[in-house]
């Protein structure tokens, strides 16, 4: 559907895990329970980590909505509202630390360079935010100690800009730092006037994380910096012909392709859907299916590579699980449901074209506890403030398809992985 780009590039996404690699030879207790970052190596649902992940997702989108309200309030979805910051305070401290230490989270990361000469950083490519930030050499906190740090003085193309970048996190900490511009290079594609922040204060929540920073790939409308994100800046400078990127998130061969799509990674055509204009990669007309039967329809979905699982409004998710045999609420506070491990529901989403299946491995977050015959589902009920009819589809959905994001056509597309 899109003309083939003349200038394209790929970034191989390393699948990171700071825990020991899985020993596939020994076999785990639940063979279909792939590690999602929320599943332990024994195939058990990591409840504490799932709660923290949910709070982080809540706070990330809270910030997006605050930015949207400031930048373009008129394009907020119906019922969208900035919800209060959620904190981890209520969680048991010991368990929280144990979770952090395990560090079994999986992320989709790749290397980018900033500055002249180039300084390298390991980055999370996030379609659910729109700012670029990395740690600064001026960050003296322990959270920064293991990170690659940006040294502005060593870059001949660095230029300080006005303003301060600041993000508040649910553990009570804040990441903040000055705003500047420099040359940023992703897979050989350059953006010379790229706005970013070099944070001098880094949330302790990032300390155990192997990533240095985040590169947001949604629209400027939801950005804190209020300047074009990387792909848009690269297009405006003529570094890429098409402001389009494709993503494959998988255990092997993950890839971000900028400037078009990598046709070797999918088969058939890409099914495109126009976005709503909210600043998110948000498409409407969605239906959810269980066992090939529609459970919910006419809702909107935000496609977010920076979110691990899937969330829907609590009442909608309750309706969804009503069609999953023998399912029930597992954690009412956090919206998690359980179902029998030996019959993972066949789940799919549909936007008026094909049914896009979510595999059993991607829907199942693992047993509720060791020896349990119930497993937790990767769809949870949460009011994230995104709108009364808006679901958030993260990696649990994206791992099933090849996803295409087009700023040129203002659309999101899906294709079958090859
Ligand atoms: C660090 O601080 C110094 C002195 O305030 C400043 O000149 C420099 O640009 C800062 N570096 C970064 C990466 O912000
Ligand atoms: C930055 O500059 C300092 C002093 O000029 C030098 O010692 C250091 O190695 C440089 N760092 C990098 C990453 O180039
Ligand atoms: C799913 O339902 C549709 C009609 O709603 C039917 O055409 C299709 O064959 C069904 N698929 C399966 C796998 O049962
Ligand atoms: C999707 O799942 C259904 C079972 O619910 C299956 O019949 C169908 O073949 C699957 N489609 C693809 C493309 O895998």
């Amino acid at each position: 559907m899109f003309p083939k780009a003349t200038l394209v590039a790929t970034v191989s996404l390393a699948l990171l895990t700071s825990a020991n690699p899985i020993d596939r030879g020994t076999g785990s207790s639940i063979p279909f329970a792939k590690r999602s970052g929320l599943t332990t190596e024994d195939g058990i649902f990591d409840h504490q980590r799932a709660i923290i992940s949910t709070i982080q997702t809540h706070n990330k989108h809270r910030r997006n909505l605050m930015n949207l309200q400031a930048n373009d309030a008129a394009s907020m979805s119906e019922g969208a509202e900035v919800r209060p910051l959620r904190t981890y305070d209520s969680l048991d401290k010991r368990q929280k630390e144990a979770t952090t230490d395990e560090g079994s989270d999986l992320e989709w990361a790749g290397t980018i360079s900033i500055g002249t000469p180039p300084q390298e950083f390991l980055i999370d490519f996030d379609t659910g935010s729109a700012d670029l930030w990395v740690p600064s050499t001026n960050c003296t906190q322990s959270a920064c100690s293991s990170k690659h740090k940006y040294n502005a003085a060593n870059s001949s193309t660095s230029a300080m800009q006005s303003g301060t970048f600041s993000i508040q996190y649910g553990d009570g900490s804040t990441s903040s730092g000055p705003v500047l511009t420099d040359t940023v290079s992703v897979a050989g594609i350059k953006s010379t006037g790229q706005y970013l922040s070099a944070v001098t204060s880094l949330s302790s929540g990032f300390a155990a994380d192997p990533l240095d920073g985040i590169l947001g790939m949604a629209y400027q409308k939801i950005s804190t910096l209020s300047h074009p994100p990387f792909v848009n800046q690269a297009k405006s400078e003529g570094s890429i012909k098409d402001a389009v990127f494709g993503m494959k998130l998988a255990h092997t061969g993950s890839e971000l392709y900028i400037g078009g799509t990598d046709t070797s990674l999918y088969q058939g055509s890409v099914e495109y859907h126009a976005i709503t204009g909210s600043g998110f990669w948000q498409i409407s007309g969605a239906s959810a299916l269980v066992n090939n039967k529609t459970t919910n329809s006419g809702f909107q979905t935000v496609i977010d590579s920076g979110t691990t699982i899937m969330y829907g409004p609590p009442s909608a998710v309750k309706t969804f699980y009503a069609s999953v045999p023998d399912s029930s609420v597992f954690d009412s506070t956090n919206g998690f449901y359980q179902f029998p491990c030996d019959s993972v529901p066949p789940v799919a989403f549909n936007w008026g074209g094909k049914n896009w299946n979510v595999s059993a491995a991607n829907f199942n977050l693992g047993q509720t506890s060791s020896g349990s015959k119930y497993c937790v589902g990767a769809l949870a009920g949460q009011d994230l403030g995104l709108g009364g009819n808006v679901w958030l589809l993260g990696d649990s959905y994206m791992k099933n398809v090849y996803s295409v994001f087009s700023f040129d056509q203002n659309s999101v597309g899906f294709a079958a992985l090859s």
Side-chain angles (χ1 to χ4, degrees):
M1 202 169 281
F2 298 118
K4 228 98 171 119
T6 48
L7 276 166
V8 293
T10 63
V11 187
S12 289
L13 300 182
L15 187 57
L16 293 175
T17 165
S18 53
N20 297 327
I22 308 170
D23 179 358
R24 298 195 181 277
T26 58
S28 56
S29 52
I30 308 270
F32 51 80
K34 289 254 176 66
R35 298 201 330 162
S36 66
L38 303 184
T39 309
T40 69
E41 294 187 32
D42 300 330
I44 316 290
F45 176 58
D46 190 337
H47 197 178
Q48 289 297 323
R49 179 168 278 269
I51 293 171
I52 290 176
S53 175
T54 298
I55 292 173
Q56 285 169 342
T57 296
H58 172 101
N59 291 339
K60 176 175 93 168
H61 288 297
R62 169 180 184 269
R63 186 181 75 251
N64 284 334
L65 290 164
M66 287 167 69
N67 295 338
L68 184 57
Q69 204 163 50
N71 295 337
D72 186 4
S75 61
M76 286 176 84
S77 299
E78 205 179 318
E81 194 178 63
V82 175
R83 300 284 186 234
L85 186 78
R86 285 188 63 191
T87 63
Y88 314 164
D89 287 352
S90 56
L91 296 180
D92 175 66
K93 185 79 165 57
R94 185 189 55 77
Q95 280 179 302
K96 184 177 129 192
E97 281 172 357
T99 303
T100 307
D101 290 344
E102 261 165 36
S104 59
D105 209 1
L106 299 183
E107 272 145 345
W108 316 102
T111 301
I112 69 166
S113 70
I114 306 178
T116 311
Q119 302 174 29
E120 294 201 334
F121 300 90
L122 190 59
I123 291 291
D124 181 21
F125 295 98
D126 180 14
T127 65
S129 66
D131 294 300
L132 169 61
W133 63 263
V134 292
S136 162
T137 44
N138 291 345
C139 177
T140 53
Q141 295 172 333
S142 61
C144 279
S145 63
S146 65
K147 308 289 182 198
H148 295 105
K149 292 179 271 292
Y150 172 75
N151 186 336
N154 283 24
S155 173
S156 63
T157 43
S158 178
M160 200 55 82
Q161 305 293 337
S162 61
T164 304
F165 175 82
S166 177
I167 308 174
Q168 212 184 343
Y169 291 96
D171 59 359
S173 62
T174 299
S175 287
S176 63
V179 176
L180 46 96
T181 51
D182 205 340
T183 296
V184 173
S185 178
V186 181
I189 292 172
K190 274 199 171 101
S191 155
T192 58
Q194 186 61 50
Y195 271 79
L196 66 132
S197 177
V199 303
T200 50
S201 158
L202 181 65
S203 167
S204 50
F206 287 99
D209 201 311
L211 294 167
D212 297 314
I214 294 174
L215 189 148
M217 304 189 88
Y219 284 73
Q220 183 182 328
K221 275 182 190 183
I222 63 166
S223 78
T224 301
L225 293 168
S226 262
H227 281 279
F230 177 79
V231 173
N232 312 79
Q233 184 67 27
K235 160 119 182 188
S236 74
E237 293 179 10
S239 300
I240 44 172
K241 186 165 152 286
D242 301 313
V244 177
F245 60 96
M247 274 188 173
K248 177 187 174 183
L249 306 183
H251 276 263
T252 54
S254 295
E255 184 190 274
L256 163 67
Y257 193 92
I258 299 178
T261 66
D262 185 344
T263 53
S264 73
L265 295 181
Y266 62 92
Q267 49 187 318
S269 57
V270 180
E271 181 186 297
Y272 288 100
H273 297 284
I275 60 166
T276 63
S278 65
F280 296 91
W281 289 110
Q282 182 168 337
I283 53 181
S284 53
S287 301
L289 297 94
V290 171
N291 253 322
N292 203 32
K293 181 180 144 267
T294 301
T295 60
N296 305 72
S297 59
F299 58 93
Q300 303 192 0
T301 53
V302 169
I303 311 301
D304 179 4
S305 64
T307 288
T308 307
I309 63 167
M310 309 181 283
Y311 299 94
S315 60
V317 170
K318 184 178 177 188
T319 301
F320 172 92
Y321 280 102
S323 293
V324 177
D326 196 15
S327 66
S328 57
V329 173
F330 169 65
D331 168 359
S332 59
T333 310
N334 294 288
F336 291 107
Y337 286 76
Q338 61 182 22
F339 56 84
C341 299
D342 61 7
S343 58
V344 183
V347 172
F349 290 92
N350 181 303
W351 286 266
K354 288 183 191 147
N355 282 354
W356 300 98
N357 289 354
V358 176
S359 72
N362 289 333
F363 191 75
N364 185 1
L365 295 179
Q367 289 170 291
T368 55
S369 60
S370 183
S372 170
K373 71 182 187 75
Y374 287 96
C375 284
V376 179
L379 172 66
Q382 276 289 320
D383 177 5
L384 299 169
L386 290 168
N389 200 22
V390 182
W391 297 33
L392 180 66
L393 303 187
D395 301 346
S396 299
Y397 172 73
M398 288 183 70
K399 285 190 284 187
N400 303 280
V401 294
Y402 188 79
S403 306
V404 183
F405 301 85
S406 172
F407 286 107
D408 291 348
Q409 311 283 333
N410 291 315
S411 62
V412 176
F414 303 118
L417 290 167
S418 55

